[in-house]
Amino acid sequence: MRRARAGGSLSRGAMALLVMCCVLKLATGAPSQTIPANGEASETDDNDQGAGHMAGKAYNKPHLNVIEKPETHPKTEINPTTTTTTTTTTPAPVAPNEISVTIKKVQVEVVYESHCPFSRRFIYGQLWPTFKKMHDFMELTVLPFGKAKVDNVSAEHPHITCQHGSNECTGNMMETCVLHVAQETITAVKILACMSSNSQPHLAGPKCVEGTSVKWTEVQKCVDEHGTQYIVEVAKQTWSLQSYVARVPLIIMDGMKDNYVEYYAQKDFFRLVCEHVPYEEYDQTPCSSSLGRRRRRRR
């Protein structure tokens, strides 16, 4: 009987100790560890219904607020100093020597009369179509004087006589002033061609300058103020090329004035100009695409 009591007392003491441990564990809120079936520990999210829940109330993991010690930076004393900035200019790189290619242009001088039918036909039928294509390869001088005469060239107001009358003298002055007023030779030649296509060139000017940079009022002002002076200058240039002009138009190509030039200038001036283009520059001109092989000049 005594042994049974002693054993019973020991059992009650062990039970009491076990109850105290459970109460202590519940009081501290320590979660119990769940061992999964595979024997590995698993991590649960804060929202999972794990061992941290008691009596249906969510268990929140404790958060530690870490108070960091503010960093201290040593004070730096800045002493005012004078800074001198030196700007060094780097010279631009020198480009390698470039080869400048100069195209030798065909020199063309045309002496004509504004009312001469042959001159007019050459201006609008041969000169303008050719110059429109080849103006980059031609150096053109146009002299609207022809076989006119000037009495007393040194006089302040010399008397000028034209082959086709006073209207031709007026037309010569107008076309000379077009050459002075127009800033580009190609514009001037275009206007001269338009005037030459009219049977009364001295009346066609105002219509022919439309659509160009030339204003006819400026041309007329040039005629009124400098017409005679400019015609005398054109006369001197004409006489320097040929002292006596027997036929017009007179065309001179690179200083050459012969029957061949005179004939083919009025038949196919474009081909004639192409014949005078230097061989090494021929392929750069419209001649190669229009004519193909260079035409051999007949003697």
Side-chain angles (χ1 to χ4, degrees):
M1 293 297 289
R2 289 182 180 177
R3 290 181 181 177
R5 288 178 182 176
S9 299
L10 182 60
S11 299
R12 284 195 296 271
M15 289 296 293
L17 182 60
L18 181 61
V19 170
M20 290 178 64
C21 290
C22 291
V23 172
L24 181 61
K25 186 179 293 187
L26 292 175
T28 57
S32 61
Q33 187 175 8
T34 304
I35 306 298
N38 58 5
E40 296 180 358
S42 64
E43 295 180 355
T44 58
D45 189 69
D46 291 345
N47 296 326
D48 292 342
Q49 299 292 328
H53 290 269
M54 295 174 55
K57 295 183 179 180
Y59 166 75
N60 295 324
K61 292 183 179 180
H63 296 279
L64 298 179
N65 295 326
V66 180
I67 301 177
E68 297 181 356
K69 184 179 180 181
E71 296 181 2
T72 58
H73 300 280
K75 293 184 179 180
T76 304
E77 295 183 0
I78 302 175
N79 296 325
T81 57
T82 303
T83 304
T84 304
T85 304
T86 304
T87 304
T88 304
T89 304
T90 304
V94 179
N97 294 332
E98 296 181 358
I99 300 175
S100 177
V101 179
T102 303
I103 297 177
K104 182 181 179 182
K105 296 186 177 183
V106 180
Q107 302 291 325
V108 179
E109 289 93 9
V110 178
V111 178
Y112 74 103
E113 297 169 350
S114 63
H115 277 240
C116 169
F118 300 103
S119 295
R120 289 171 40 230
R121 188 183 305 122
F122 172 76
I123 296 296
Y124 71 78
Q126 295 292 335
L127 179 62
W128 169 236
T130 300
F131 192 70
K132 186 163 53 175
K133 295 179 182 178
M134 298 288 292
H135 61 91
D136 289 332
F137 307 94
M138 294 174 61
E139 191 70 38
L140 178 65
T141 301
V142 181
L143 302 171
F145 184 76
K147 295 186 285 184
K149 296 179 180 179
V150 181
D151 297 332
N152 197 0
V153 176
S154 59
E156 184 177 357
H157 299 287
H159 180 69
I160 302 172
T161 305
C162 297
Q163 184 180 7
H164 298 91
S166 59
N167 287 340
E168 182 174 78
C169 287
T170 301
N172 290 347
M173 288 184 184
M174 288 179 173
E175 295 186 7
T176 299
C177 281
V178 167
L179 294 166
H180 277 271
V181 173
Q183 297 181 355
E184 296 181 349
T185 306
I186 191 169
T187 302
V189 176
K190 179 181 179 180
I191 296 172
L192 298 186
C194 176
M195 294 175 69
S196 298
S197 64
N198 192 292
S199 59
Q200 299 293 322
H202 65 290
L203 301 177
K207 186 71 175 178
C208 289
V209 298
E210 292 180 0
T212 69
S213 58
V214 176
K215 296 180 180 179
W216 189 252
T217 54
E218 296 179 359
V219 176
Q220 190 60 55
K221 181 180 179 181
C222 170
V223 171
D224 296 338
E225 297 179 359
H226 307 288
T228 302
Q229 172 191 346
Y230 289 162
I231 280 294
V232 171
E233 293 176 0
V234 170
K236 293 178 180 179
Q237 285 182 271
T238 300
W239 297 332
S240 67
L241 295 174
Q242 187 161 308
S243 58
Y244 174 74
V245 179
R247 292 178 294 184
V248 290
L250 172 64
I251 298 98
I252 303 173
M253 304 280 296
D254 288 333
M256 299 173 59
K257 45 184 178 179
D258 54 20
N259 292 334
Y260 180 87
V261 171
E262 182 179 344
Y263 178 81
Y264 280 101
Q266 299 185 60
K267 295 294 183 181
D268 195 344
F269 187 58
F270 175 73
R271 184 180 292 273
L272 183 63
V273 172
C274 289
E275 289 181 0
H276 283 258
V277 173
Y279 179 80
E280 61 275 9
E281 298 168 4
Y282 185 82
D283 291 339
Q284 304 176 35
T285 70
C287 301
S288 59
S289 59
S290 299
L291 302 178
R293 288 185 178 181
R294 182 189 293 272
R295 178 180 178 179
R296 181 176 296 178
R297 178 174 176 176
R298 292 177 293 178
R299 294 288 183 179

